């Protein structure tokens, strides 16, 4: 059997191949495996001395819960803290975070434990926003009225592929 390749078959085939490759590049964003974005935010209510990587809470601020990240789909380390600030607002603070970059990575509060979040976020999970950077210290506002006692972990989640990069159990601090 002889196959004859002509311009009428080769050019459309190459166009289809180029479209598939462009879509795959957009979907997977493989260059992110070689990039790092570092963010070092101070605590929202803290003063100038709070620019240190692991800032203490400011006057009137209260640490509500804390936990260490465990790795799931990607190596992830650091600490997650929920803080009640003096002005009544609350934030989730990620300190010393190290994880991979990826497409559409978000930060969530999950009703599941860190181990359970590997299988999914669970009902009632709350998205706090896009991951600001895959390394460093960053703050995520928690909407007023959110009952923090319902949430058991902070999760770095790739929304595009529905996988957890890593999660931290939020253990309540002794009162």
């Amino acid at each position: 059997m002889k196959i004859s390749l002509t311009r009428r078959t080769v050019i459309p085939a190459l166009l289809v191949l180029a479209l598939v490759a462009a879509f795959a590049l957009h979907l997977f964003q493989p260059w992110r495996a070689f990039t790092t974005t570092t963010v070092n935010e101070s605590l929202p209510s803290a003063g100038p001395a709070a620019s240190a990587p692991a800032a203490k809470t400011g006057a009137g601020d209260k640490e509500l819960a804390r936990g260490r990240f465990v790795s799931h789909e990607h190596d992830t380390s650091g600490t997650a803290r929920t803080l009640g600030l003096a002005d009544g607002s609350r934030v989730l603070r990620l300190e010393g975070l190290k994880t991979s970059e990826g497409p559409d990575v978000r930060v969530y509060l999950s009703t599941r434990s860190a181990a359970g979040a590997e299988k999914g976020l669970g009902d009632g999970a709350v998205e706090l926003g896009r991951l600001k950077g895959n390394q460093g210290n960053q703050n995520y506002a928690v909407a007023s009225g959110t009952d923090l006692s319902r949430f058991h972990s902070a999760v770095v989640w790739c929304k595009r592929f529905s996988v957890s990069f890593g999660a931290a159990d939020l253990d309540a601090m002794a009162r």
Side-chain angles (χ1 to χ4, degrees), residues 28-44:
F28 291 101
Q29 299 177 1
W31 58 88
R32 289 191 174 256
F34 306 103
T35 62
T36 296
T37 303
T38 302
V39 173
N40 279 309
E41 296 180 325
S42 60
L43 284 168

Side-chain angles (χ1 to χ4, degrees), residues 41-47 50-51 55-58 61 81 83 85 91 93 95 139:
E41 296 180 325
S42 60
L43 284 168
S45 67
S51 60
K56 302 291 182 199
T57 57
D61 298 342
R81 301 167 63 201
L83 305 170
L85 304 179
V91 298
R93 179 161 172 83
E95 294 179 340
N139 305 306

Side-chain angles (χ1 to χ4, degrees), residues 35-120:
T35 62
T36 296
T37 303
T38 302
V39 173
N40 279 309
E41 296 180 325
S42 60
L43 284 168
S45 67
S51 60
K56 302 291 182 199
T57 57
D61 298 342
K62 185 174 186 178
E63 184 172 54
L64 305 173
R66 164 190 294 260
R68 305 269 322 147
F69 275 95
V70 295
S71 299
H72 290 157
E73 291 295 319
H74 294 266
D75 288 339
T76 302
S77 62
T79 302
R81 301 167 63 201
T82 54
L83 305 170
L85 304 179
D87 66 3
S89 63
R90 292 162 305 152
V91 298
L92 173 69
R93 179 161 172 83
L94 307 183
E95 294 179 340
L97 178 68
K98 280 189 168 185
T99 191
S100 300
E101 285 204 303
D104 204 17
V105 181
R106 312 288 176 113
V107 177
Y108 283 85
L109 291 174
S110 174
T111 55
R112 293 184 171 177
S113 67
E118 188 169 16
K119 295 180 180 87

Side-chain angles (χ1 to χ4, degrees), residues 5-46:
L5 297 177
T6 66
R7 279 189 178 163
R8 289 181 7 166
T9 57
V10 172
I11 290 174
L14 289 175
L15 286 173
V16 168
L17 185 63
L19 287 172
V20 168
F23 178 74
L25 285 172
H26 170 73
L27 187 65
F28 291 101
Q29 299 177 1
W31 58 88
R32 289 191 174 256
F34 306 103
T35 62
T36 296
T37 303
T38 302
V39 173
N40 279 309
E41 296 180 325
S42 60
L43 284 168
S45 67

